[in-house]
Amino acid sequence: NQPAIGTRNRTLGILNRYHLSAKKSLGQNFLDDLNVLEGIVAAADVTEQDDVVEIGPGIGALTEQIAQRAHQVLAFEIDQNLIPVLAETLADYKNVTIVNQDFLQANVPEVLDERLDGHHELKAVANLPYYITKPILMNFLKGQVHFATIVLMMQKEVASRLVARPNSHDYGALSVMTQYLYQVEIALEVSKKSFIPAPKVDSAVVKLTPRPVKQETAYSQPAFFSFVHGCFMHRRKTLWNNLQSVFDKQPATKDTIRTVLATVGIEPNVRPQTLGVSQFITLTNEFHKVGL
Ligand code: SAM
């Protein structure tokens, strides 16, 4: 009966035995704080009804906590050197499958189809490699796979952007795109001291829950994302100025933009960060209606 992988002594023991030094280039910061690990699985409310996808199991600290509660765990680990380590540290957990693939390159729907029974609620849980937090988030925003809950540890600075409300410093395209699809909350703030090695920045655990019923939707999600992105291209400039680069500067186009803004009651000289998600949805749809 060994102590949990995520206790400091066990983690150090595993790293020593395998002569592992954390690879910075792969964002390897191993959690060695059981309270935080338990906080993450609690935020995801993992039960035996769930199949859980994990990104980056590392030496298995979080995987173990998930495996003790879930039906199945499917974990994508890019680092080949960690595969034999995980085979040993997680040997007692028959409900864990490790896939030695880059999560961003993998055909995730296909892997899930092959490895899971499809009869359990799908959740995603990860202590993310920070060098690819944004591409991984974009992956979840594209929504190839429907997850009932997504719980991700990330840099606090990115977490703040995900939850930011209009008119705040951190509010931008990432906030709008995320809040369009998910209810976002910070479940836990985590000190850099909870990791070996300690990362440079503090972290936070973010919980994303798909919005139950979308009262308003954009006519196309890619169009919405690209419109929002365009509106925030120059945050210090006005909405009007940003729209000049989203569309074009032809006099006829300018007239159309002016008319649409007047119709929806948005002043051209506001800054993009004053607009709420639903205003971006309205604008996307209204510009589409007039052929822009
Ligand atoms: N889950 C472990 C924990 O909490 O202690 C390790 C988390 S560590 C922050 C990130 C992990 O992601 C590392 O094991 C790293 O090798 C892995 N990783 C990095 N890039 C990856 C990628 N593209 N696909 C899958 N795993 C990746």
Side-chain angles (χ1 to χ4, degrees):
N1 243 356
Q2 306 215 60
I5 300 168
T7 52
R8 179 143 294 195
N9 284 344
R10 176 96 191 274
T11 295
L12 289 172
I14 295 167
L15 296 177
N16 276 336
R17 186 144 42 90
Y18 287 93
H19 308 291
L20 291 173
S21 50
K23 292 186 185 132
K24 241 186 173 172
S25 62
L26 291 179
Q28 292 180 352
N29 300 95
F30 303 114
L31 267 171
D32 68 338
D33 183 331
L34 218 44
N35 283 329
V36 172
L37 289 160
E38 285 169 355
I40 297 172
V41 283
D45 190 23
V46 176
T47 74
E48 331 176 313
Q49 315 300 318
D50 304 325
D51 281 346
V52 178
V53 175
E54 187 191 358
I55 304 160
I59 59 170
L62 181 56
T63 324
E64 176 180 57
Q65 296 302 318
I66 304 168
Q68 287 171 350
R69 296 160 175 87
H71 171 253
Q72 287 283 332
V73 191
L74 185 65
F76 289 84
E77 174 54 63
I78 196 173
D79 186 353
Q80 207 176 346
N81 293 330
L82 293 176
I83 305 304
V85 181
L86 287 161
E88 193 205 310
T89 59
L90 299 172
D92 289 344
Y93 301 96
K94 303 301 172 211
N95 59 344
V96 175
T97 307
I98 305 289
V99 180
N100 184 201
Q101 280 190 46
D102 177 341
F103 180 75
L104 291 175
Q105 300 297 323
N107 184 338
V108 178
E110 198 176 280
V111 178
L112 267 56
D113 238 27
E114 282 166 10
R115 308 293 189 116
L116 300 175
D117 67 11
H119 297 305
H120 290 78
E121 187 133 278
L122 263 186
K123 293 183 175 171
V125 176
N127 169 17
L128 292 179
Y130 293 173
Y131 74 108
I132 43 171
T133 299
K134 266 177 247 155
I136 290 176
L137 280 172
M138 287 316 294
N139 230 300
F140 284 115
L141 295 179
K142 281 192 198 122
Q144 285 179 303
V145 177
H146 177 84
F147 292 99
T149 306
I150 302 171
V151 171
L152 305 172
M153 165 105 78
M154 62 188 70
Q155 310 85 311
K156 203 159 137 191
E157 168 251 327
V158 180
S160 306
R161 291 169 58 188
L162 297 188
V163 296
R165 312 304 299 176
N167 293 310
S168 68
H169 175 265
D170 294 324
Y171 184 72
L174 194 60
S175 329
V176 176
M177 293 188 289
T178 310
Q179 292 168 29
Y180 173 64
L181 295 168
Y182 299 103
Q183 222 170 288
V184 192
E185 60 189 285
I186 294 194
L188 209 64
E189 300 211 345
V190 181
S191 149
K192 33 174 112 96
K193 291 185 202 139
S194 297
F195 305 80
I196 295 183
K200 288 214 175 70
V201 294
D202 284 325
S203 301
V205 176
V206 174
K207 176 173 180 172
L208 305 175
T209 316
R211 290 199 164 283
V213 189
K214 280 190 231 118
Q215 289 90 342
E216 316 146 285
T217 42
Y219 76 94
S220 134
Q221 187 177 307
F224 177 71
F225 281 11
S226 109
F227 178 73
V228 170
H229 201 75
C231 288
F232 279 103
M233 204 56 121
H234 306 284
R235 306 176 49 88
R236 282 166 213 283
K237 292 193 178 170
T238 61
L239 177 65
W240 174 260
N241 275 321
N242 279 297
L243 290 174
Q244 307 301 299
S245 10
V246 171
F247 304 117
D248 61 54
K249 298 187 176 65
Q250 299 297 319
T253 308
K254 288 189 179 186
D255 285 346
T256 313
I257 296 175
R258 226 174 257 120
T259 311
V260 168
L261 291 178
T263 314
V264 300
I266 294 175
E267 293 292 332
N269 62 355
V270 297
R271 314 266 156 195
Q273 60 270 31
T274 63
L275 301 178
V277 175
S278 70
Q279 286 173 302
F280 282 107
I281 297 172
T282 306
L283 285 174
T284 305
N285 291 341
E286 292 301 315
F287 283 123
H288 178 63
K289 275 190 209 155
V290 297
L292 281 186

